[in-house]
Structure formats: structure tokens, C-alpha cells
Amino acid sequence: MATLDVAGVTKSFGTTQVLHGVDLTVADGEMIVIVGASGCGKSTLLRIVAGLETATTGRISIAGRDVTGLEPADRDIAMVFQNYALYPHMTVGQNMAYGLRIRGLPKPEIAQRVTEAATLLGIESLLDRRPRQLSGGQRQRVAMGRAIVREPKLFLFDEPLSNLDAKLRVQMRAEIRRLQRRLGVTSLFVTHDQTEAMTLGDRLVVMHAGHAAQVATPMEVWARPADTYVAGFIGSPAMNFLAGTLADAGQAVALAAGPVLRFADGPRPGPEGLPLTIGIRPEHIEAGASGLTLPLDLVEPLGSETVLHGRLPNGEALTVKLAGPAPAGPAIQVTLPAAALHVFDAASGKRLDR
Amino acid sequence: MKKTLFKGTALPLLLLAPQLAVTCVFFLWPAGAAIWQSVLQEDPWGTRSEFVGLRNFAEVLVEPEWRGAALNTLVFSTSVAVLAMGTALFLAVQADKSIRGANLYKTLLIWPYAVAPAVAAVLWLFLFHPSIGLIGRALNQAGLDWDYKLNGGQAMTLVIIAAAWKQVSYNFIFFLAGLQSIPKSVLEAAAIDGARPVRRFWTIIFPLLSPTSFFLLVVNLVYAFFDTFGVIHALTGGGPGKATETLIYKVYVEGVQNVNLGSSAAQSVILMVIVIALTAVQFRFIERKVHY
Ligand SMILES: Nc1ncnc2c1ncn2[C@@H]1O[C@H](COP(=O)(O)OP(=O)(O)OP(=O)(O)O)[C@@H](O)[C@H]1O
Ligand SMILES: [Mg+2]
């Protein structure tokens, strides 16, 4: 059990810079999920924490000890890989015992710990099998078991669920969460799946092109995204973005699509006419008898709800999610509730608050 | 695997014909002739021959020279296999570490394989000749009494090194391929589990290479048994005395120099049985996928 400190970590492979200064503080027992699009540097960051890659600059500390220059073996961490990386020539039991044997633990204690972990994960009956005789889900459990028996300071997960089928993934997700809570081990979990991120993390790190775009709780990331990237990445269907300018002494936005909307939560700083990007989630848009006309070009019925895609008269795309069945007709009237608006500076993409 | 179905048997037979012809002319026919020869007693001029059953075999097996050659072969082939595989594994591990250099490495290390045995032997001769060889002279100047033409142990060492050198490249390719087929993440998992490089090698890499190693062991033994005639012939001619006379070399000495065709044929049949046995063992084990 320990804290983790990542301070100003950058990483370049040759001339391409992959991480541009990442800072992160993880509290004791916390589960942090690193989420982001493919290639944004999630795995690289995790591997730097593990000691499998060396950071170009910056420091890593685990439990207050600077481990930047240490070998993975000296960091007291455990990692679950996407392909599980089980030792193919060892049985499940030997796989789990390997790290303990290296540590020179007495045989009875190794046996006891392995049995305990196996029971916890429900794989006692598999201890004598070899990895190739296991299903994907069972391998996943063994990989978890191998991490657990070590009782490390830090768990690292690199997309451990992405090779499982959808149903098993949901099940293992819950299981990992329960296990992590129960053992109270500080954890870093990498995924590109936003549902996984929202449900697993105490806090999320949304990575974008080698930066940590936002570090916050899942609800905060959803309710108050720090920039347009985060806003568009979290939430499904993705948030709508509309162009506008600051108007009425910062009290309102004049949308390019026509209406002028007053901010519900007070004025924004900035000069009159400042270009803004207004974000609104599809589920927050209201359909009614009046408002903007939205000609529809695609209707997706999902049973309990309906997703409608259309284009506003000024050419901007808008997606609307409505409860219930699809409305009849080629167009609907929509209104954008002021309380649901997210305001971003159009130039920097950053959130503009009061 | 993809299966192609042919109609009838004419086309498949036609396609197989060249291979079958080569096998018949260069393998089955000589092998049959050797077996036939091995049960005959022939005078040196080939004018008369009589059927003697297994007497040639019985005589060969009790002959002290044959036993000496068998012992030489054991020492020789074991040493060649160990030296060639050990060196190749070491080089392959180095190459695997720096994949960047691997191509250059690979090219350099494959060269020996393309060199004809006799040419390779001449190369080693020029290196180790006691008076004109680069290394031979250096050894003598260093006070070591180096003359493989007089000292049997030195002669054996020399043919072992020369024979092993030729086989290193072949082993290297297989070991490198074996190493590269081990998933990187497995080694990383071991590193995180606390294993240092040496331990990782012996507990992860080495066991995972065991199918490759076993395959190579058989190949190297077969090579040392049968394919080293050229090296020995050009370097030591089996001497000094009979210090480097291996079984395959003795077949030649018996048949070509002593013109004792019956005995020579019996000896080559014995070798044939050994290689068949080795190959059978190999197939058994490869099918069981050694270790995992
Ligand atoms: N060893 C390497 N050499 C050169 N470039 C690398 C290396 N490893 C990663 N990269 C590059 O660094 C970037 C980030 O890679 P990384 O594996 O961290 O992405 P990721 O966020 O984990 O993506 P994914 O979700 O696809 O796993 C990628 O553009 C990748 O091409
Ligand atoms: Mg990755």
C-alpha cells in the first residue's frame, strides 16, 4: 500500500515525443484509470511507472521513495498485461509462485499464499494446468492471481480486459473493482474504453496526445470536462459542439445557428465577440413545439431511447437523444437548456468558467 | 494447413518424380548396395565375393580400432555439439538484445555455413599450422608446445573447433528465431516479478528454448557424426596415429585405403542405423513438443 507520484514525466522515442510532461499524484489505496484514444501514450506512461521504459525527464516516486532509476524488480509492483504474459512452460501454481520463489519465501508460505489467492479468484482447481490449457477468462484470473500473491505496493493494469468477450468483460470489471477495494492496493488501470474508465476509477486521467488533459473523478469529468477533447471523448453519443461568440457583456452566447442563450450560471470573462465553442450533450437537448428547426438525416431507435442525427440550417451537425420512440416527420424543433451548456474558449479549447 | 486435392495419381507422381529420383539414385540405391556389400566378403581386386552373413559386423564390433574410433566419435561429436550450440546461443542472445545490429550480425554469422568443409579446413590450417599459422605460431611463442601434427589431443581440439565453427551459423539462426518467438511481455512480467537477467535466462528463456535446443542437438550430432569427413580429412587425415579417426573417417580408411569393402560397408550400415535411431528419437520428442 502506497502513494504514487509522477512528476513532469516526458518521453521521446528518437525524435518523436510521446509524453509531454505528465503530473499525477495517486493517494494510498486509490484506483486511477488512465483513459484515452489509441496511441496517446497510456501504455508508455504505465511502462515508465513499471520501470520497463525510462522516462526522458521527470521523476517517479512510490511510497515516497524515488524509484526513477530503479529496475522493475526493485519497485515492488505487479502488472497485468493485455496478453496476460503467463509463463507458458509453468503450471498455474508455478506461475503464481514465481515471484515469491525469487523473493526467497519459505515453501509453506508460498503454498499458502498461492492457495489463498487462487481461492479468492476461484481458480483452485486449475493450479496444475498450463496456460495453454486455459480459456481467456481463466488466463486473465491467473494473471490477476500472479499479481495478488506478491502483495505489491502498486498494481498496474494495461488493458487487461480487452481480449475478453463483452459479457465476461463486464463481469471481470466488477470483480477487479471488488478485489481492488478489498485489498486496498493503489492501482493504475489503462483502458481506451470509457465505460470501463467511468465504472472502475476513483479518478480518471484523460490522456490526449501525451498530455493529461484532465485528472478528476468520473462524475466531474462528465459534468465539467476541462476541454473540448475531454468533453467529446467521455459520453456516448458524443457531446455536440456549436460555434458562437461571447455577447451581452459576458452574460450570453450568440450562437452561429441563430439564438442568443443566456448563461444560467453567471457571466464569462472575456471581450465581447470572443469566439466560443458551446458543448451540449445529446441527452440534454429538449424536443418540443418551438425552438430551432432540426431536419433529420438519420434516426437510430435503441428501444428505450432514440438517437436522432440532423443538421441545423447553418450546416452544423447536431445529435439528439430522446427518451421513447422516434417522433414522426422529417424535422423536429429543439431547444438548448441554458443549464446544460458547456462553455469553451474556441481558440484554446479550454473550459471557460465564471 | 491448406490441402490441395489432385484428381488421379499421374500428376502428383509426376510432381514428385524429381525428388523420388534423387532419393533413389543418391540414397536408396547406395544404401541398398552398402547393405548388400556388408554381408559379402570380397577380395581386394573385386574378382571373387562370398556371402558371409553378419560376420563383417561381428568382426567390426570387436575390433579395437573400431572401438577407438567410436570413442573418438563420442568425444568429438559431443564436444562439437556443445561448443557449436553454446557459442551460437551466446551470440543469438547478444543479437536478440540489439535487434538493431541483428542484421549485420546475422549476415556475418551465416557466412561460415556457406563455406565448403575443405575450404574451411584450409582456413583453420593456415591459422593453426605450427610454423606458418598465425595462431599456431603465437601459441608456440607463448611457450605452449603447439603441434597438432604430433599431439593427438591438440589435433582433436583443432578438428572440434573447426567442425563446430561451421555449425555455429546454422544453430544461431534457429536460436535467434527461438528467442524472437518468446513474447517480450513474458520477459517483462518476469522482470517485474523480480527476476534479474541471469535468472530470467535460466528460468524463462532457456526452458522456452528447449524444443529448439533439442532439435539442434540431434542435428548437431548427426552433423558431427556424418558431415565432418571433409574437415578431418583436410586438417589431420585422422592422425596423428588414429587420434582423430572418427567412425565416418574409418569407413573411408577401411574402404578406400585398405580396400576392405565388406568391413567398410558393415561400418557404414552401423552408422546408418545410428542416424535412423537419432532421427526417430527426434521425431518422437518433437511431436511431444518437449517441455510444454
Ligand atoms: N518502442 C517504441 N518506439 C517508438 N515509438 C513508440 C514505442 N512505443 C510506443 N511508441 C509510440 O508512442 C505512442 C504511444 O504509444 P502507447 O503504446 O503508449 O499508446 P497507447 O495509448 O497505449 O495506445 P493503445 O491504446 O493503442 O495501446 C505511439 O504513437 C507509438 O507509436
Ligand atoms: Mg497501450
Side-chain angles (χ1 to χ4, degrees):
Chain A
M1 255 143 281
T3 57
L4 166 70
D5 264 295
V6 176
V9 165
T10 67
K11 175 71 183 175
S12 304
F13 291 109
T15 52
T16 47
Q17 191 165 1
V18 174
L19 294 179
H20 303 261
V22 176
D23 296 285
L24 177 65
T25 307
V26 185
D28 188 8
E30 196 177 19
M31 178 117 173
I32 295 276
V33 175
I34 304 174
V35 61
S38 187
C40 68
K42 308 179 294 287
S43 296
T44 306
L45 179 60
L46 198 74
R47 293 168 57 81
I48 288 173
V49 173
L52 296 171
E53 304 273 0
T54 37
T56 308
T57 62
R59 321 204 65 76
I60 306 285
S61 326
I62 297 173
R65 185 174 65 127
D66 187 343
V67 298
T68 314
L70 295 188
E71 291 289 313
D74 301 320
R75 296 190 178 199
D76 199 8
I77 51 172
M79 183 157 166
V80 179
F81 292 81
Q82 178 172 355
N83 63 1
Y84 316 134
L86 300 176
Y87 310 126
H89 57 302
M90 300 184 193
T91 62
V92 167
Q94 288 166 340
N95 261 281
M96 290 167 66
Y98 184 74
L100 302 177
R101 289 219 325 266
I102 287 175
R103 242 142 267 237
L105 257 66
K107 278 220 169 78
E109 189 179 344
I110 294 180
Q112 187 205 335
R113 281 218 219 167
V114 168
T115 317
E116 266 175 32
T119 314
L120 195 62
L121 291 160
I123 51 173
E124 318 91 293
S125 58
L126 305 178
L127 286 176
D128 291 324
R129 293 222 207 147
R130 292 194 197 279
R132 73 184 158 83
Q133 302 166 316
L134 302 178
S135 73
Q138 290 168 332
R139 284 179 208 189
Q140 166 66 52
R141 281 167 206 268
V142 176
M144 291 283 302
R146 188 172 64 179
I148 290 173
V149 285
R150 292 255 319 279
E151 296 176 7
K153 291 208 179 81
L154 192 62
F155 277 152
L156 303 174
F157 300 87
D158 193 356
E159 308 205 22
L161 304 180
S162 55
N163 287 351
L164 303 179
D165 67 48
K167 193 168 160 213
L168 196 54
R169 198 179 314 168
V170 173
Q171 187 187 336
M172 282 308 289
R173 187 169 81 201
E175 208 160 305
I176 288 181
R177 187 64 180 133
R178 265 198 296 275
L179 214 57
Q180 193 271 340
R181 279 271 159 76
R182 176 158 161 196
L183 301 172
V185 180
T186 314
S187 303
L188 272 188
F189 189 107
V190 164
T191 180
H192 59 252
D193 180 312
Q194 52 161 308
T195 322
E196 223 165 273
M198 296 291 281
T199 51
L200 270 177
D202 291 317
R203 282 191 298 154
L204 306 188
V205 178
V206 185
M207 297 252 319
H208 175 43
H211 295 274
Q214 188 169 12
V215 182
T217 61
M219 269 326 282
E220 169 137 10
V221 169
W222 187 80
R224 297 171 46 79
D227 61 24
T228 47
Y229 178 80
V230 178
F233 188 78
I234 299 289
S236 173
M239 185 184 276
N240 295 295
F241 293 111
L242 302 172
T245 51
L246 198 58
D248 207 0
Q251 297 282 357
V253 56
L255 287 180
V260 175
L261 303 173
R262 260 185 93 78
F263 299 129
D265 52 353
R268 299 299 195 273
E272 196 78 0
L274 176 74
L276 298 178
T277 301
I278 297 300
I280 181 157
R281 297 202 181 273
E283 57 270 36
H284 291 157
I285 298 178
E286 289 164 5
S290 64
L292 280 167
T293 305
L294 180 68
L296 300 176
D297 47 40
L298 180 64
V299 177
E300 298 176 315
L302 300 176
S304 63
E305 51 205 18
T306 308
V307 178
L308 309 164
H309 301 271
R311 236 163 237 292
L312 292 170
N314 73 337
E316 287 180 313
L318 198 70
T319 303
V320 182
K321 187 156 108 180
L322 298 177
I332 55 171
Q333 309 287 316
V334 294
T335 50
L336 313 177
L341 298 186
H342 300 264
V343 186
F344 303 99
D345 179 18
S348 67
K350 295 262 176 277
R351 183 179 191 85
L352 266 188
D353 275 327
R354 225 152 16 104
Chain B
M1 204 183 288
K2 199 179 158 191
K3 266 192 190 161
T4 310
L5 290 178
F6 290 103
K7 276 187 208 134
T9 52
L11 183 59
L13 273 181
L14 193 69
L15 293 174
L16 277 175
Q19 186 65 44
L20 287 175
V22 167
T23 310
C24 286
V25 172
F26 292 102
F27 183 73
L28 292 180
W29 184 29
I35 293 172
W36 176 234
Q37 193 75 253
S38 71
V39 293
L40 295 180
Q41 174 96 326
E42 198 169 316
D43 72 25
W45 292 273
T47 49
R48 274 178 305 125
S49 61
E50 57 171 316
F51 181 80
V52 293
L54 295 177
R55 205 175 74 199
N56 284 328
F57 290 93
E59 279 173 3
V60 162
L61 291 174
V62 296
E63 201 184 322
E65 281 93 31
W66 190 85
R67 294 190 169 182
L71 184 66
N72 279 346
T73 308
L74 198 68
V75 172
F76 175 74
S77 46
T78 316
S79 311
V80 168
V82 169
L83 186 61
M85 288 173 66
T87 313
L89 180 56
F90 175 78
L91 293 171
V93 168
Q94 302 311 311
D96 188 48
K97 271 187 204 157
S98 57
I99 294 301
R100 195 195 285 269
N103 267 332
L104 177 68
Y105 237 143
K106 268 188 238 166
T107 322
L108 288 178
L109 285 162
I110 291 165
W111 279 351
Y113 200 64
V115 178
V119 177
V122 170
L123 194 89
W124 288 95
L125 204 121
F126 276 116
L127 281 176
F128 281 94
H129 193 281
S131 50
I132 59 166
L134 204 68
I135 300 174
R137 267 172 41 201
L139 286 171
N140 273 321
Q141 271 164 17
L144 259 147
D145 215 358
W146 175 263
D147 190 348
Y148 66 87
K149 286 180 192 273
L150 295 176
N151 184 322
Q154 292 180 359
M156 184 55 107
T157 312
L158 182 59
V159 288
I160 287 171
I161 294 177
W165 175 75
K166 256 195 71 68
Q167 196 60 12
V168 164
S169 41
Y170 182 86
N171 297 346
F172 171 82
I173 298 296
F174 277 84
F175 275 133
L176 188 63
L179 285 171
Q180 298 200 334
S181 73
I182 298 177
K184 209 166 151 244
S185 59
V186 168
L187 296 174
E188 289 174 347
I192 288 178
D193 262 345
R196 314 267 162 198
V198 173
R199 183 142 196 171
R200 283 207 292 274
F201 181 82
W202 289 113
T203 57
I204 309 286
I205 298 177
F206 195 72
L208 289 180
L209 279 181
S210 65
T212 311
S213 306
F214 184 76
F215 164 78
L216 285 178
L217 181 66
V218 175
V219 168
N220 279 262
L221 286 179
V222 170
Y223 160 80
F225 264 58
F226 304 100
D227 229 3
T228 47
F229 172 82
V231 170
I232 295 175
H233 191 53
L235 270 179
T236 65
K242 292 189 177 306
T244 54
E245 190 173 283
T246 58
L247 287 174
I248 189 81
Y249 201 78
K250 191 157 161 44
V251 169
Y252 162 79
V253 170
E254 207 65 49
V256 180
Q257 291 182 352
N258 301 349
V259 207
N260 191 347
L261 293 182
S263 172
S264 174
Q267 294 182 25
S268 59
V269 170
I270 294 174
L271 284 177
M272 200 151 69
V273 171
I274 295 176
V275 77
I276 290 171
L278 276 174
T279 314
V281 167
Q282 167 163 2
F283 278 125
R284 281 292 297 262
F285 275 87
I286 293 287
E287 258 163 33
R288 273 204 236 133
K289 275 261 171 69
V290 189
H291 215 120
Y292 70 92

Short mmCIF file of all heavy atoms in Angstrom, two decimals, chain A residues 183-207:
data_model
loop_
_atom_site.label_atom_id
_atom_site.label_comp_id
_atom_site.label_asym_id
_atom_site.label_seq_id
_atom_site.Cartn_x
_atom_site.Cartn_y
_atom_site.Cartn_z
N LEU A 183 -8.53 -5.42 -1.23
CA LEU A 183 -7.11 -5.49 -0.91
C LEU A 183 -6.54 -4.11 -0.62
O LEU A 183 -5.50 -3.98 0.02
CB LEU A 183 -6.33 -6.12 -2.06
CG LEU A 183 -6.76 -7.55 -2.44
CD1 LEU A 183 -6.06 -7.99 -3.71
CD2 LEU A 183 -6.48 -8.51 -1.31
N GLY A 184 -7.24 -3.07 -1.12
CA GLY A 184 -6.80 -1.70 -0.85
C GLY A 184 -5.46 -1.35 -1.45
O GLY A 184 -4.72 -0.54 -0.89
N VAL A 185 -5.12 -1.98 -2.58
CA VAL A 185 -3.82 -1.69 -3.20
C VAL A 185 -3.97 -0.55 -4.20
O VAL A 185 -4.88 -0.55 -5.03
CB VAL A 185 -3.26 -2.94 -3.91
CG1 VAL A 185 -1.92 -2.63 -4.55
CG2 VAL A 185 -3.13 -4.08 -2.93
N THR A 186 -3.09 0.41 -4.11
CA THR A 186 -3.05 1.52 -5.05
C THR A 186 -2.90 0.97 -6.46
O THR A 186 -2.07 0.10 -6.70
CB THR A 186 -1.83 2.42 -4.73
OG1 THR A 186 -1.81 2.64 -3.33
CG2 THR A 186 -1.92 3.73 -5.47
N SER A 187 -3.73 1.46 -7.39
CA SER A 187 -3.74 0.85 -8.71
C SER A 187 -3.80 1.87 -9.84
O SER A 187 -4.43 2.91 -9.71
CB SER A 187 -4.96 -0.06 -8.86
OG SER A 187 -4.97 -1.04 -7.86
N LEU A 188 -3.13 1.53 -10.93
CA LEU A 188 -3.23 2.29 -12.17
C LEU A 188 -3.80 1.36 -13.22
O LEU A 188 -3.28 0.27 -13.42
CB LEU A 188 -1.84 2.74 -12.64
CG LEU A 188 -1.26 4.05 -12.15
CD1 LEU A 188 0.02 4.33 -12.93
CD2 LEU A 188 -2.23 5.18 -12.33
N PHE A 189 -4.85 1.78 -13.88
CA PHE A 189 -5.55 0.92 -14.83
C PHE A 189 -5.65 1.65 -16.15
O PHE A 189 -6.22 2.73 -16.22
CB PHE A 189 -6.93 0.60 -14.26
CG PHE A 189 -7.69 -0.45 -15.02
CD1 PHE A 189 -7.86 -1.72 -14.48
CD2 PHE A 189 -8.25 -0.17 -16.25
CE1 PHE A 189 -8.57 -2.69 -15.17
CE2 PHE A 189 -8.95 -1.14 -16.95
CZ PHE A 189 -9.12 -2.40 -16.40
N VAL A 190 -5.10 1.07 -17.19
CA VAL A 190 -5.14 1.70 -18.51
C VAL A 190 -6.24 1.07 -19.35
O VAL A 190 -6.39 -0.15 -19.38
CB VAL A 190 -3.78 1.52 -19.24
CG1 VAL A 190 -3.93 1.81 -20.73
CG2 VAL A 190 -2.74 2.42 -18.63
N THR A 191 -7.01 1.91 -20.01
CA THR A 191 -8.04 1.39 -20.92
C THR A 191 -8.36 2.44 -21.97
O THR A 191 -8.03 3.61 -21.80
CB THR A 191 -9.33 1.03 -20.15
OG1 THR A 191 -10.29 0.55 -21.09
CG2 THR A 191 -9.90 2.23 -19.42
N HIS A 192 -8.95 2.01 -23.08
CA HIS A 192 -9.46 3.03 -24.00
C HIS A 192 -10.98 2.98 -24.03
O HIS A 192 -11.61 3.65 -24.83
CB HIS A 192 -8.86 2.85 -25.40
CG HIS A 192 -9.15 1.52 -26.01
ND1 HIS A 192 -8.19 0.54 -26.16
CD2 HIS A 192 -10.28 0.98 -26.46
CE1 HIS A 192 -8.73 -0.52 -26.69
NE2 HIS A 192 -10.00 -0.29 -26.88
N ASP A 193 -11.55 2.20 -23.11
CA ASP A 193 -12.99 2.02 -23.06
C ASP A 193 -13.57 2.94 -21.99
O ASP A 193 -13.26 2.82 -20.81
CB ASP A 193 -13.26 0.55 -22.72
CG ASP A 193 -14.74 0.24 -22.63
OD1 ASP A 193 -15.48 0.99 -21.95
OD2 ASP A 193 -15.14 -0.77 -23.21
N GLN A 194 -14.43 3.87 -22.40
CA GLN A 194 -14.88 4.88 -21.43
C GLN A 194 -15.82 4.31 -20.37
O GLN A 194 -15.82 4.79 -19.24
CB GLN A 194 -15.49 6.09 -22.12
CG GLN A 194 -16.56 5.75 -23.11
CD GLN A 194 -17.39 6.98 -23.40
OE1 GLN A 194 -17.90 7.62 -22.49
NE2 GLN A 194 -17.54 7.29 -24.67
N THR A 195 -16.57 3.28 -20.72
CA THR A 195 -17.43 2.67 -19.70
C THR A 195 -16.57 2.06 -18.59
O THR A 195 -16.84 2.21 -17.40
CB THR A 195 -18.30 1.56 -20.31
OG1 THR A 195 -18.71 1.98 -21.60
CG2 THR A 195 -19.48 1.26 -19.45
N GLU A 196 -15.53 1.34 -19.04
CA GLU A 196 -14.60 0.75 -18.09
C GLU A 196 -14.00 1.83 -17.20
O GLU A 196 -13.92 1.69 -15.98
CB GLU A 196 -13.49 0.07 -18.89
CG GLU A 196 -13.08 -1.30 -18.38
CD GLU A 196 -12.26 -2.01 -19.45
OE1 GLU A 196 -12.89 -2.66 -20.29
OE2 GLU A 196 -11.03 -1.88 -19.45
N ALA A 197 -13.61 2.92 -17.84
CA ALA A 197 -12.99 4.00 -17.09
C ALA A 197 -13.95 4.59 -16.07
O ALA A 197 -13.62 4.76 -14.89
CB ALA A 197 -12.53 5.09 -18.06
N MET A 198 -15.20 4.87 -16.50
CA MET A 198 -16.17 5.51 -15.61
C MET A 198 -16.50 4.61 -14.42
O MET A 198 -16.66 5.08 -13.29
CB MET A 198 -17.46 5.83 -16.37
CG MET A 198 -17.31 6.83 -17.50
SD MET A 198 -16.97 8.51 -16.97
CE MET A 198 -18.58 9.07 -16.46
N THR A 199 -16.63 3.30 -14.68
CA THR A 199 -17.08 2.42 -13.61
C THR A 199 -15.96 2.00 -12.68
O THR A 199 -16.21 1.68 -11.53
CB THR A 199 -17.73 1.15 -14.19
OG1 THR A 199 -16.83 0.58 -15.14
CG2 THR A 199 -19.04 1.45 -14.86
N LEU A 200 -14.72 1.97 -13.16
CA LEU A 200 -13.64 1.42 -12.34
C LEU A 200 -12.92 2.46 -11.49
O LEU A 200 -12.47 2.17 -10.39
CB LEU A 200 -12.60 0.75 -13.24
CG LEU A 200 -12.81 -0.73 -13.55
CD1 LEU A 200 -11.72 -1.20 -14.51
CD2 LEU A 200 -12.78 -1.56 -12.28
N GLY A 201 -12.81 3.68 -12.04
CA GLY A 201 -11.88 4.60 -11.43
C GLY A 201 -12.42 5.38 -10.25
O GLY A 201 -13.57 5.80 -10.26
N ASP A 202 -11.60 5.57 -9.22
CA ASP A 202 -11.90 6.59 -8.23
C ASP A 202 -11.72 7.95 -8.90
O ASP A 202 -12.49 8.87 -8.71
CB ASP A 202 -10.95 6.49 -7.04
CG ASP A 202 -11.21 5.25 -6.22
OD1 ASP A 202 -12.39 4.96 -5.99
OD2 ASP A 202 -10.25 4.59 -5.82
N ARG A 203 -10.63 8.01 -9.69
CA ARG A 203 -10.41 9.20 -10.51
C ARG A 203 -9.94 8.76 -11.88
O ARG A 203 -9.38 7.68 -12.04
CB ARG A 203 -9.34 10.10 -9.87
CG ARG A 203 -9.88 10.92 -8.69
CD ARG A 203 -8.88 11.96 -8.27
NE ARG A 203 -7.64 11.36 -7.81
CZ ARG A 203 -6.46 11.98 -7.86
NH1 ARG A 203 -6.36 13.19 -8.38
NH2 ARG A 203 -5.37 11.38 -7.41
N LEU A 204 -10.16 9.62 -12.87
CA LEU A 204 -9.71 9.33 -14.23
C LEU A 204 -8.59 10.28 -14.62
O LEU A 204 -8.56 11.42 -14.19
CB LEU A 204 -10.85 9.55 -15.24
CG LEU A 204 -12.17 8.85 -15.04
CD1 LEU A 204 -13.04 9.10 -16.28
CD2 LEU A 204 -11.94 7.38 -14.84
N VAL A 205 -7.69 9.77 -15.43
CA VAL A 205 -6.75 10.63 -16.13
C VAL A 205 -7.12 10.50 -17.59
O VAL A 205 -6.99 9.43 -18.17
CB VAL A 205 -5.30 10.16 -15.92
CG1 VAL A 205 -4.35 11.03 -16.71
CG2 VAL A 205 -4.94 10.16 -14.45
N VAL A 206 -7.64 11.59 -18.17
CA VAL A 206 -7.95 11.53 -19.59
C VAL A 206 -6.72 12.03 -20.34
O VAL A 206 -6.31 13.17 -20.18
CB VAL A 206 -9.18 12.40 -19.94
CG1 VAL A 206 -9.54 12.23 -21.40
CG2 VAL A 206 -10.35 12.05 -19.05
N MET A 207 -6.11 11.12 -21.10
CA MET A 207 -4.89 11.49 -21.81
C MET A 207 -5.24 11.90 -23.24
O MET A 207 -6.11 11.32 -23.87
CB MET A 207 -3.92 10.30 -21.88
CG MET A 207 -3.43 9.82 -20.54
SD MET A 207 -1.72 10.20 -20.19
CE MET A 207 -0.89 9.89 -21.69
#
